[in-house]
Amino acid sequence: MKTDVLIVGAGFAGSVCARVLAEAGRKVLVIDKRNHIGGNAYDTYDDQGVLIHPYGPHIFHTNAKRIIEWLSRFTDWRFYEHRVLASVDGQLLPIPINRTTINRLYGLNLDEAGVAAWLERVREPRDPIRTSEDVVLNSVGRDLCDKFFRGYTRKQWGLDLSELSAGVAARIPTRTNEDDRYFTDTYQFMPRDGYTAMFRRMLDHPNITVQLNTDYFAVRGYVQTIHTVYTGPIDAFFDYCYGRLPYRSLRFEHQHLPDTEWYQSVGTVNYPNDHAYTRITEFKHLTGQIHRGTSIVREFPCDEGEPYYPVPRPENELLFKRYEELAQARQDVTFVGRLAQYRYYNMDQVVGAALNAAGEIAND
Ligand code: FAD
Ligand code: UDP
């Protein structure tokens, strides 16, 4: 096989790079070991005809106009603002914690200023803020931390809040008003025809060839290429020479309920303290699809399996830095994406990183 650029992975990182490089006149071969494009953002219709996300719920949100504009070349959008409830003490309460959460949980009737003053009383100021425990205690204090964050985090990561970098819990803000949206980004949309359709259009270019069911490590000796873009786990690329980088995995339990129109009132319900799963998502809320039945997914975190999340904590960062040094010495390979850069990236951040990386390769 011969190509100008070999791209390993047909997720956001690989597909965005492929399109940019193809438009810059390069012949691009995209391979993926899975039997579909889209990486973890892949969506498909289940046996009953409901559009689902096999790798867990994916909600697009960004503040970057450049990114939404670039993706808009390949999809129209459906406006969607995600809302999440947490099952705590027998109630379903808004998360991120807001005024409603605090008033309902503690039987109070505080206005915004009252909530701010109440939080000021219960919070445990921390300085410096290094861990996720510091973040949560510093903003909402111990009781809310234990009810909403500690159990969820233990399940999700197999670690205590105090063992994770601050950035993990810092993804979830605290609010004194009644805003119950999970994200507050300027642009919050779902691709109108789904993610896979968007990827299909992105990869539909005369300079792009896609080959699925192809593992890079099985073919790397046989592909003649000037440059490689690698979007898989960085430790695997270097044959785990410094040891394995921890990635957290998930087992997804999908279920279709033929006689239930709606299973829950919002897109996702979190279960911080009960069950082995962290959350249940009902896809019709996200996609806007009209269907007699409904499809849901439960997420069971685990250590073994597909790598889905880098695990942000200082010792892992240090190990990653060692691999990153090896990566930087490879002028012939670009490492981009959530697994290759070992960053807890959202989709829009991966698109941004891929646009930059591909731009550099194209200008070389
Ligand atoms: P991936 O999508 O993982 O793509 C990498 C591809 O490389 C895969 O298809 C893989 O098969 C392939 N590959 C790996 N190794 C090899 C090999 N050796 N040979 C060939 N192919 C290989 N982000 C949001 O913005 N909003 C959300 O709501 C959201 N929800 C999420 C929910 C879950 C459960 C998870 C796990 C992630 C979520 N994300 C969300 C993050 C989002 O999935 C990622 O930011 C994005 O998909 C990463 O794209 P990527 O191309 O870097 O990696
Ligand atoms: N988190 C939590 N309780 C919640 C929601 C989130 O403790 O109800 C913590 C947990 O550590 C989680 C992190 O915040 O892993 C980030 O949550 P997010 O919803 O962004 O996770 P993702 O959608 O990426 O899995």
Side-chain angles (χ1 to χ4, degrees):
M1 274 185 285
K2 202 168 167 214
T3 183
D4 293 340
V5 184
L6 171 67
I7 297 190
V8 182
F12 267 104
S15 300
V16 170
C17 284
R19 183 71 190 206
V20 172
L21 291 168
E23 288 179 356
R26 310 292 164 85
K27 291 276 177 217
V28 179
L29 171 62
V30 182
I31 60 168
D32 202 298
K33 63 181 179 181
R34 297 183 181 169
N35 64 0
H36 59 74
I37 57 174
N40 290 335
Y42 167 70
D43 55 13
T44 188
Y45 288 88
D46 66 14
D47 290 346
Q48 286 74 24
V50 179
L51 183 61
I52 62 161
H53 300 174
Y55 303 100
H58 279 72
I59 298 113
F60 190 83
H61 56 100
T62 190
N63 285 315
K65 195 165 177 228
R66 155 178 105 118
I67 287 168
I68 194 91
E69 280 181 356
W70 193 83
L71 290 174
S72 298
R73 297 175 51 203
F74 311 105
T75 188
D76 291 332
W77 301 97
R78 163 181 190 262
F79 178 69
Y80 171 70
E81 288 180 326
H82 195 48
R83 287 183 168 74
V84 180
L85 295 171
S87 171
V88 170
D89 288 357
Q91 296 194 70
L92 290 177
L93 301 167
I95 177 88
I97 290 169
N98 68 7
R99 181 181 156 202
T100 316
T101 314
I102 289 168
N103 279 336
R104 290 220 188 119
L105 185 65
Y106 297 109
L108 301 170
N109 191 19
L110 302 171
D111 60 11
E112 264 195 68
V115 171
W118 186 91
L119 284 170
E120 202 45 50
R121 266 205 315 283
V122 301
R123 68 187 275 264
E124 290 182 16
R126 294 269 168 141
D127 187 19
I129 294 194
R130 287 210 183 91
T131 71
S132 277
E133 182 180 51
D134 294 333
V135 169
V136 180
L137 290 178
N138 187 63
S139 51
V140 298
R142 197 158 294 267
D143 194 50
L144 287 167
C145 174
D146 288 348
K147 286 188 157 86
F148 287 83
F149 289 90
R150 199 172 304 276
Y152 188 105
T153 300
R154 164 72 56 194
K155 264 194 278 189
Q156 172 69 17
W157 301 97
L159 294 168
D160 187 66
L161 276 168
S162 59
E163 298 173 292
L164 282 161
S165 299
V168 176
R171 291 167 64 88
I172 316 297
T174 305
R175 304 191 183 126
T176 53
N177 62 17
E178 287 188 309
D179 189 346
D180 62 348
R181 295 171 303 162
Y182 205 62
F183 309 111
T184 50
D185 301 51
T186 313
Y187 308 101
Q188 304 191 41
F189 295 103
M190 298 292 286
R192 199 196 57 194
D193 310 320
Y195 289 97
T196 305
M198 178 176 76
F199 280 100
R200 205 173 291 125
R201 292 183 203 116
M202 205 184 292
L203 292 167
D204 181 14
H205 188 285
N207 284 342
I208 301 178
T209 305
V210 179
Q211 197 172 301
L212 300 174
N213 303 304
T214 304
D215 191 325
Y216 173 63
F217 299 112
V219 301
R220 74 167 147 184
Y222 306 102
V223 184
Q224 248 188 299
T225 184
I226 299 164
H227 198 87
T228 299
V229 174
Y230 178 81
T231 76
I234 189 168
D235 57 347
F237 185 92
F238 293 108
D239 298 320
Y240 310 102
C241 64
Y242 296 136
R244 282 190 181 257
L245 266 172
Y247 293 91
R248 190 71 168 157
S249 192
L250 294 170
R251 180 172 62 79
F252 299 102
E253 209 174 274
H254 287 269
Q255 189 181 4
H256 180 76
L257 304 155
D259 302 318
T260 305
E261 193 182 356
W262 292 106
Y263 179 77
Q264 58 194 29
S265 64
V266 290
T268 298
V269 175
N270 287 355
Y271 293 88
N273 308 310
D274 318 298
H275 311 295
Y277 50 84
T278 48
R279 57 188 179 187
I280 299 182
T281 296
E282 183 172 21
F283 291 107
K284 287 200 303 180
H285 286 288
L286 280 53
T287 60
Q289 186 182 3
I290 295 165
H291 195 285
R292 235 164 37 77
T294 196
S295 292
I296 60 173
V297 65
R298 295 180 172 82
E299 294 173 50
F300 295 81
C302 47
D303 270 337
E304 299 302 316
E306 281 283 290
Y308 291 123
Y309 291 84
V311 182
R313 54 191 309 217
E315 55 262 58
N316 300 350
E317 278 302 315
L318 283 178
L319 182 53
F320 167 68
K321 290 277 169 226
R322 298 184 70 195
Y323 281 113
E324 197 182 31
E325 266 177 37
L326 295 180
Q328 279 162 354
R330 291 293 300 260
Q331 298 300 314
D332 58 327
V333 184
T334 298
F335 295 80
V336 62
R338 180 150 144 147
L339 304 170
Q341 295 182 274
Y342 203 68
R343 292 211 189 129
Y344 194 170
Y345 272 150
N346 293 324
M347 293 183 278
D348 65 319
Q349 297 170 304
V350 174
V351 174
L355 287 174
N356 293 342
E360 279 178 26
I361 302 166
N363 289 330
D364 242 12

